[in-house]
Amino acid sequence: MKRALSLSITGVLCALALAPLAVHAVDYPLPPPGSRLIGHNQRYIMPDNGKNLEYVADKFGTGILLLLEANNKVDPLLPKAGSEITIPSQMLLPDTPREGIVINLAELRLYYYPPGQNKVEVYPIGIGQLGRETPEMVTRISQKIPNPSWTPTANIRARSEAQGIKLPAVVPAGPNNPLGRYALRLEKGGGEYLIHGTNVRRSVGQRVSSGCIRLRSEDIKALFSKAAWGTRVQIINQPVKYSVELDGRRYVEVHQPLSTNDWDNPQTAPIAISASFGRFIDDGRSDRGAVDNAMTRRAGYPVEVSGTASPAPSKAPIQSAHNAPETRSEGLLSGVQ
């Protein structure tokens, strides 16, 4: 299960040392109107350094669950030296307005469209776990707070006490604050939902929060400096994205859906097919078999499903340990975390 996998990975990785890396969200030029395909997948040869997939996710500015989707036959804790890792850095933009912040829960990514700039910044995120889900909404940033303190909600306090953990009334700003150094409050939901940093770096890219959206420290710092008060924020949950590109090629990007109960298996759980996606599948220019394969594999990156032959896209170069892709670089809060 996507949730169970997140929790088990978190438990094991807690025991593994992971040095902070200077990786930031990846910038992509915006495609022209009518196109949604950005970036390209990369290949990384695992060095003989004893590192795990969490290290690779951090190095390339992606999330651990995205890497696991793309590399479903690789040991996440001890990838074999010399094994080829697919970095899922090609994606389809969500079918939403290219404005402000767009968060797709199913892919654990945040898209930020800087106003007046022909680019999109893509960040890996952590989201709400089962039973404490991050809700879908269209809202805006209502408050920007540096060096936030954290006041646990009554529900969080009760859950912690049930586990034998007594939380303080207020956690002051500092290295032990679970909100990190920056927080963006969302207007909807009474202001209880935040986009914030974290003091548990490995939680980014997983379902572990109490409903808020977590970013790595350098990412929330960058987003905080750019996203203005009043910025539009749209949160969606779309495990399937699809596109007909300007050259006629057709693509499907399928992510494992979020678990809705403890026994869900996101690799086999059914995914609802919208009317528009049904028309895309039934169109004679789509290869239905290729679509079915993409829906079954759920690799988390775009797969071409064109029904007619077309030139193969060029492959990205292999990335070595020293050849990573270029990347960019006091308030009191009460809310879910």
Side-chain angles (χ1 to χ4, degrees), residues 181-195:
R181 293 185 56 200
Y182 303 93
L184 302 170
R185 189 189 295 279
L186 303 184
E187 184 177 59
K188 209 160 187 177
E192 64 176 328
Y193 293 102
L194 312 168
I195 301 173

Side-chain angles (χ1 to χ4, degrees), residues 31-268:
S35 171
R36 292 169 58 196
L37 186 68
I38 62 173
H40 56 259
N41 288 342
Q42 300 167 82
R43 296 173 294 156
Y44 176 69
I45 303 302
M46 201 70 198
D48 188 10
N49 60 3
K51 300 294 187 180
N52 52 42
L53 278 191
E54 181 69 26
Y55 164 84
V56 179
D58 211 342
K59 177 181 181 64
F60 284 91
T62 187
I64 182 65
L65 290 181
L66 286 167
L67 275 185
L68 289 174
E69 285 182 334
N71 302 275
N72 61 343
K73 296 182 180 180
V74 174
D75 185 337
L77 301 178
L78 193 60
K80 186 180 298 184
S83 57
E84 184 176 301
I85 307 298
T86 297
I87 310 299
S89 47
Q90 184 178 61
M91 62 205 74
L92 297 174
L93 291 175
D95 190 13
T96 61
R98 297 179 183 180
E99 176 187 354
I101 293 171
V102 176
I103 294 168
N104 189 359
L105 301 172
E107 60 179 310
L108 290 99
R109 282 190 181 119
L110 181 153
Y111 297 82
Y112 174 59
Y113 299 91
Q117 300 185 46
N118 191 41
K119 70 175 184 177
V120 60
E121 301 172 6
V122 183
Y123 301 79
I125 57 173
I127 63 172
Q129 59 189 281
L130 182 61
R132 308 170 201 173
E133 288 84 356
T134 305
E136 298 177 59
M137 65 177 88
V138 177
T139 183
R140 67 189 184 101
I141 294 174
S142 62
Q143 190 177 11
K144 296 180 61 174
I145 306 181
N147 300 314
S149 299
W150 178 51
T151 302
T153 63
N155 287 339
I156 290 177
R157 192 178 302 282
R159 288 195 297 266
S160 296
E161 289 180 356
Q163 299 171 3
I165 302 172
K166 185 172 178 60
L167 293 174
V170 177
V171 178
N176 296 323
N177 191 311
L179 300 182
R181 293 185 56 200
Y182 303 93
L184 302 170
R185 189 189 295 279
L186 303 184
E187 184 177 59
K188 209 160 187 177
E192 64 176 328
Y193 293 102
L194 312 168
I195 301 173
H196 62 77
T198 179
N199 61 341
V200 184
R201 188 177 182 89
R202 59 186 167 269
S203 67
V204 173
Q206 302 188 54
R207 292 187 68 186
V208 293
S209 82
S210 294
C212 286
I213 296 99
R214 300 181 182 182
L215 281 81
R216 294 178 178 130
S217 58
E218 64 273 14
D219 287 344
I220 186 61
K221 180 179 180 180
L223 184 64
F224 187 91
S225 69
K226 298 178 180 182
W229 178 90
T231 293
R232 182 181 190 271
V233 178
Q234 182 172 4
I235 302 178
I236 60 176
N237 181 15
Q238 295 179 1
V240 177
K241 298 183 289 182
Y242 57 96
S243 174
V244 180
E245 290 298 297
L246 299 178
D247 60 2
R249 295 188 185 189
R250 307 170 79 83
Y251 292 89
V252 171
E253 178 183 332
V254 185
H255 295 267
Q256 295 177 348
L258 301 180
S259 301
T260 57
N261 54 60
D262 281 326
W263 54 89
D264 267 350
N265 181 349
Q267 187 58 46
T268 57

Side-chain angles (χ1 to χ4, degrees), residues 276-296:
S276 58
F277 185 41
R279 291 191 293 270
F280 174 91
I281 296 172
D282 292 337
D283 191 299
R285 291 165 292 184
S286 294
D287 183 334
R288 191 181 187 104
V291 175
D292 289 343
N293 289 337
M295 294 289 287
T296 300

Side-chain angles (χ1 to χ4, degrees), residues 23-35:
V23 175
H24 300 268
V26 182
D27 290 351
Y28 296 88
L30 281 180
S35 171

